[in-house]
Amino acid sequence: AFATSDAALGLDPPGQIMNDHLLEQEEAVKPRKLKASLLEQKDYIIVPATTWAKLIEWYGGGPAIVRYVVGRGQIQQLMVEVYPLVLSVVRDTDLNMTVDFSFSQQATLRDLKKQLCAYFELKESDCQLWDYYQSAKYKKLENLDTGLDACN
């Protein structure tokens, strides 16, 4: 017969998953950014969403650090985007309030606009995207099919 639980094997369960040490400690910044220079397999392991859900069900804890698989290069080699873009967004009605959003580098301006309109409860037809430089409008972003990685 096989042992089917930690208790049956005489092992203590590992306890809650704790990922806080992987994130910058700036509580005011949402989402909290992943610390720079983390090493996969040493500092963290990447697991599929279904595995994460089961681990949380069994052990609890968190927070979840969601990342996406993206295609890179000419052959679109699949890889996990560990460090996505973090964009600071302001509304022209309140330039003093910034909100940080995390996006895949492969997201488009359309994806950005859709998420921002949902967050700020705006109709997409009433919203325009502008690139700001040194707190001033620099360029209107009109081609919504442009990838965020091409907007620098």
Side-chain angles (χ1 to χ4, degrees), residues 10-109:
L11 301 173
D12 291 329
Q16 285 194 340
I17 298 166
M18 296 190 301
N19 287 337
D20 276 324
H21 67 285
L22 301 173
L23 301 169
E24 295 290 345
Q25 295 306 310
E26 303 170 20
E27 292 292 330
V29 175
K30 299 288 182 192
R32 288 171 53 203
K33 297 177 188 173
L34 200 59
K35 288 182 178 177
S37 305
L38 296 174
L39 299 173
E40 186 177 356
Q41 302 301 327
K42 179 180 182 288
D43 298 307
Y44 64 91
I45 60 169
I46 296 172
V47 297
T50 52
T51 302
W52 174 257
K54 192 52 88 173
L55 290 169
I56 289 298
E57 178 186 321
W58 290 337
Y59 304 111
I65 302 171
V66 178
R67 295 296 183 256
Y68 298 97
V69 175
V70 297
R72 294 285 173 127
Q74 290 182 331
I75 60 170
Q76 292 294 293
Q77 178 179 354
L78 297 179
M79 60 188 299
V80 175
E81 186 177 56
V82 177
Y83 292 95
L85 287 174
V86 177
L87 302 176
S88 293
V89 175
V90 297
R91 286 184 67 174
D92 66 352
T93 56
D94 185 359
L95 296 178
N96 293 319
M97 187 186 97
T98 63
V99 181
D100 286 345
F101 290 86
S102 182
F103 288 93
S104 169
Q105 293 182 27
Q106 293 194 331
T108 63
L109 288 173

